[in-house]
Amino acid sequence: MRWIRWLESVGLEEVPLVGGKNASLGEMIRELSPLGIAVPGGFAITAQAYRHFVEENHLAEAIREIYAEPTSAVQALEARAHRLRTLILQAPMPEDLKGEITRCYREMAERYGGKEPYVAVRSSATAEDLPTASFAGAHQTFLQVHGELELLRSVQECFASLHTPRAIRYREDMGFPHEKVLLSVGVQLMVRSDLASSGVIFTLDTETGFREVVVIDAIWGLGENIVQGKVKPDEFKVHKPTLAQGFRPIVSKKLGTKEFKLVYNQATHRLENLPVSPQERARFTLSEEEILTLARWAIRIEEHYSQKRGQPTPMDIEFAKDGLSGQLFVVQARPETVQSQKLGPQLEIFTLKSRGKVLAEGIAVGQKIAVGQARVIHDPREIQQFCDGEVLVAENTDPDWEPIMKRASAIVTERGGRTSHAAIVARELGLPAVVGAEGALGAIPIGQTLTVSCAEGEVGRVYEGRLEFSTEQRDPTALGPTRTKIMVNVGNPEQAFELARWPNDGVGLARMEFIFAGYVKVHPLALTRYPTLPLEVQRQVEALTEGYTDKTAYFVDKLAQGIATLAAAFYPKDVILRFSDFKTNEYAALVGGAGFEPKEENPMLGWRGASRYYHPDYKEGFLLEVAAVKRVREEMGLKNLKVMIPFCRTPEEGRKVLAVMQEGGLERGKDGLEVYVMAEIPSNVLEAEAFAELFDGFSIGSNDLTQLILGVDRDSAQVSGLFDERLPSVKRACTLLLEAAHAQNRTVGICGQAPSDYPEFAAFLVEHGIDSISLNPDSVWRVKERILEVERAQR
């Protein structure tokens, strides 16, 4: 067998190669099988065989001449590729090579059973799947190949695919000489994933480059649909460090639409793309055990190739599940070539380079600049009018608006302040927002091109027209470490992996209500008391919880995944999760919530925070929150997760909440669990010693603390000018808390808005010995600069 190398899976003997270079696919199989990873067996037709094919048919000179012709236009490239492939396809297969291929195919039948086994015929080029160039999809693969004649034709088609337009263009773009690239062909036993599922695995997050997760995308049927992007797959994310410790950290499970599946038609011997039934679309393609098995394999593969290269090598892997045996197989592994090649994270500094007519002014949220056409929206049900990239102009927003907000380039609201819903969500989405822009709806014409600038200090401006601005990249590591912990405020799990790549000391505030709104979407009591709901509301809940027979399991599952994503992103650094702090009107806006929430004149001072958790009218809902946290810590192993109690008015309330938590299986101090309390009510400051006996630390909520000290409704436009955290009374409260807490050996941080808006306020806190400051991510650079100045002066 001069041009054949056997590709055997676990436990089978390898036939030595006589001359030539084996396929990279063959190398992968030979290396991964001893690691305990199931790989479909078969044989490789080496790159030397392709060279023999060309030489026997005297094609080398003709190929060189065609490649020597100048070409630039798409039509010329297509014509050249067609001529090259025609040369290959019209040439006869050399008899000696034909004999070896057919002989190996017959031997394969004897080894694996069956007269003429179904096989996959896969191209594998000598310059393919490099760490910096993948050639993904450039060469041909044939599935469900059956019989000797079809096999020989498929091999020749693979040879010809070395000269497809995309392969030619890719080599030229990457600087590979055409004559140096050869092609080999792997012939593998066909995995009947058309009767089960298949997919792709990455050993990093493909959007952000975050390397501590394995990402698995899976669909029903053969894998071509996922590779070609024809369907939306299921997506699973597994945390590497805690998986290695023996936990089951599936931190995210997202159900894909999986509209079609590619299957083999036994009657016609053809592949067909068939619609997937509603029942199958509503089911995940992999069990949790299968997800974890694939993740473990992926980590082994990454470790193997990283060791072989002598440097970290994230991997792009394809897998298939056999519908007959139920066994999982890895069918391809190659280095990931996009995120792994990028440099470290950079901060972006925006500068407006010209000015224009100001249409509206308000409070600047974030420090970015964006340009887009104005779209005035009066009701979130008008979402169909909104186009991606437009500037959302509205009176105000609530959680119902978030689908629109995620599509906007910037946000402008007439009402609200720095802690309004629009401001908080804009920060989470990384969008510039101008809030409290009085008269904006009347002053901004629909369709007008706008420049929204939040890079000019505290005042945000909406300019008419497209203005010139610049951005500057900065290395966030250049500032060096601080004595004061610099943490970040995070709510949206979808941003966690990106933010975690920036230098930080953990998360000082993870807002559970963002996970409620984005992941859960339903009021917890609508699940615990499902039979009592009106029929219309029951139908809404059914639609959300499809696939869950236990409605409360849906809540715990979704909430745990959102929390776990945050904890995994920053692991092993502390992530302090604040239990839900919706007000009654916000809880009522959740699906099924209206029937369980009282109407309050002033929800800001009503039934919120700790007072809900032990109350018989919400306690069962809080126990679901506790169950989600317990799962993240105990089943997923994310012990870096801490919890925080908001709006705890008295020490007695604190005792009641801790008792309910213990009832649900979360006990302060057990297994390293720390419990913090928000310091946002004057009573938290005045009774700090008593609160310190119950909790491990305090986190100053400067928004509510300022509101309650000054008696100012922070959302009221009429008195918004009085709201200022820098006033002496607020500063005095902070210093009193710091002195009392430190006397009791308790830590104090701040997670409110003030340090992000006012670096001088952060400096004041550092001067008085605060332990940590949690900032909005876009303000870390300038605030850290100020903190470093203060700390240097203190030395």
Side-chain angles (χ1 to χ4, degrees), residues 440-613:
L441 270 69
I444 300 174
I446 296 175
Q448 170 71 55
T449 297
L450 305 174
T451 299
V452 179
S453 173
C454 294
E456 303 171 71
E458 297 179 14
V459 177
R461 296 180 177 87
V462 182
Y463 292 98
E464 183 179 74
R466 179 185 297 271
L467 302 182
E468 186 180 358
F469 65 92
S470 64
T471 60
E472 177 188 355
Q473 299 287 332
R474 290 187 181 179
D475 179 2
T477 64
L479 288 177
T482 56
R483 185 190 70 248
T484 309
K485 285 186 177 181
I486 305 298
M487 307 177 86
V488 289
N489 297 334
V490 183
N492 185 354
E494 294 175 8
Q495 290 189 310
F497 293 153
E498 174 65 30
L499 297 177
R501 298 173 66 214
W502 295 24
N504 65 81
D505 294 309
V507 176
L509 174 62
R511 299 183 180 92
M512 185 182 283
E513 50 270 23
F514 275 86
I515 305 172
F516 258 85
Y519 279 58
V520 180
K521 302 178 182 178
V522 62
H523 195 288
L525 300 188
L527 302 172
T528 60
R529 305 178 191 180
Y530 174 76
T532 69
L533 299 175
L535 286 178
E536 181 181 347
V537 179
Q538 282 190 357
R539 282 193 289 268
Q540 290 177 277
V541 173
E542 280 292 339
L544 280 172
T545 62
E546 188 175 10
Y548 288 85
T549 52
D550 181 352
K551 303 300 179 189
T552 60
Y554 162 85
F555 183 94
V556 175
D557 203 23
K558 293 296 184 184
L559 187 58
Q561 288 173 38
I563 296 169
T565 299
L566 294 175
F570 292 86
Y571 182 90
K573 300 170 187 173
D574 286 352
V575 171
I576 302 174
L577 173 75
R578 185 178 67 190
F579 282 113
S580 64
D581 192 28
F582 277 137
K583 288 71 175 176
T584 50
N585 59 318
E586 293 169 335
Y587 273 114
L590 296 170
V591 172
F596 299 106
E597 296 297 330
K599 296 279 194 297
E600 293 185 311
E601 289 298 322
N602 191 348
M604 189 75 76
L605 296 179
W607 193 36
R608 59 177 287 202
S611 61
R612 298 181 67 96
Y613 302 158

Side-chain angles (χ1 to χ4, degrees), residues 125-142:
T126 55
E128 191 172 20
D129 298 335
L130 301 176
T132 56
S134 72
F135 279 84
H139 306 115
Q140 286 280 27
T141 291
F142 298 92

Side-chain angles (χ1 to χ4, degrees), residues 246-258:
F247 293 99
R248 299 172 63 86
I250 304 174
V251 299
S252 177
K253 291 170 64 178
K254 293 182 180 179
L255 191 70
T257 50
K258 308 182 295 286

